[in-house]
Amino acid sequence: MKRKNKNKNFLQGRECFKRMNFLYQASMLMAGRSNVLSAFYGQLCKSVGKKATLKIEPNIKRDFCKRCSLAQKPGLTTYLSAQSQKRRRSANSVPMDESAQVQLMCKLCGYKRHFNVNSNYKFWLDDPESVVEKRTLDIKDTNSNENKIDLKNEKKTVGNDLYKGKSNK
């Protein structure tokens, strides 16, 4: 019997990430059709991540309502409005557009979220210096004898990396 080589890049919680990915896609698909079902899938996605102590990417967290976990799609599941903050403008102050806010209000529960509009603002996770390592799951070619999933380290983002991070265990 041959011993299998242990993969150095083993990702803990791979099955949980797959399940969370499926639940996220199902929630986005059901948004606008059945909001209650979409909220159920969103809540289930969050609870799977909490139970396995996995970190969800902040962009994914922003797609869900904080209160009811409904997938937020402006016009379908949320009301979208722009508000300008009323401040005095001096000669050296920022332009009015950068002090504006976007408000999203959930149609299911009524929860309001405010996002600042600033083109110069950069999220900490979007900064290349903040990311040490990114892991993605790739499936091998179906023509080969092995149909196992490989884990590859990549420095650049490939498409939509849904979940990033490692287990906190």
Side-chain angles (χ1 to χ4, degrees):
M1 209 187 251
K2 290 184 180 180
R3 266 185 144 176
K4 292 185 179 181
N5 293 336
K6 290 187 177 180
N7 192 357
K8 292 179 186 177
N9 302 323
F10 179 73
L11 178 68
Q12 247 179 337
R14 182 185 314 212
E15 292 81 19
C16 292
F17 279 128
K18 286 181 184 179
R19 185 171 182 206
M20 289 165 58
N21 183 11
F22 175 79
L23 291 169
Y24 170 77
Q25 290 178 14
S27 178
M28 287 297 171
L29 182 69
M30 294 310 294
R33 296 177 187 168
S34 174
N35 290 344
V36 176
L37 189 59
S38 175
F40 175 73
Y41 287 148
Q43 184 62 38
L44 198 58
C45 178
K46 285 182 178 181
S47 64
V48 167
K50 282 182 185 177
K51 187 172 183 180
T53 62
L54 301 173
K55 291 186 179 181
I56 302 174
E57 185 178 352
N59 291 332
I60 303 304
K61 287 183 184 178
R62 286 184 209 111
D63 285 345
F64 292 124
C65 175
K66 278 191 168 185
R67 188 183 294 167
C68 67
S69 300
L70 176 67
Q72 293 186 340
K73 289 188 175 180
L76 287 176
T77 60
T78 58
Y79 298 110
L80 177 70
S81 62
Q83 300 172 344
S84 62
Q85 293 180 353
K86 297 176 182 174
R87 292 192 216 170
R88 288 188 174 184
R89 289 187 50 174
S90 63
N92 296 332
S93 71
V94 294
M96 193 63 114
D97 293 340
E98 292 182 0
S99 66
Q101 286 186 339
V102 173
Q103 179 184 11
L104 292 175
M105 186 174 123
C106 181
K107 287 184 180 180
L108 191 62
C109 67
Y111 185 75
K112 295 178 184 177
R113 294 180 78 179
H114 300 276
F115 296 99
N116 291 330
V117 178
N118 186 352
S119 59
N120 298 330
Y121 184 76
K122 194 174 190 181
F123 289 111
W124 183 75
L125 282 177
D126 292 341
D127 187 18
E129 294 178 2
S130 67
V131 179
V132 176
E133 178 181 9
K134 285 189 180 183
R135 296 180 176 194
T136 58
L137 296 173
D138 291 333
I139 299 175
K140 284 188 174 181
D141 192 23
T142 55
N143 296 333
S144 67
N145 292 337
E146 297 177 5
N147 289 330
K148 297 178 183 175
I149 296 176
D150 268 351
L151 183 64
K152 294 183 179 180
N153 288 331
E154 296 181 4
K155 292 184 179 177
K156 293 187 178 181
T157 310
V158 179
N160 249 343
D161 289 341
L162 184 60
Y163 299 101
K164 298 175 190 170
K166 300 176 190 173
S167 175
N168 291 336
K169 290 182 182 178

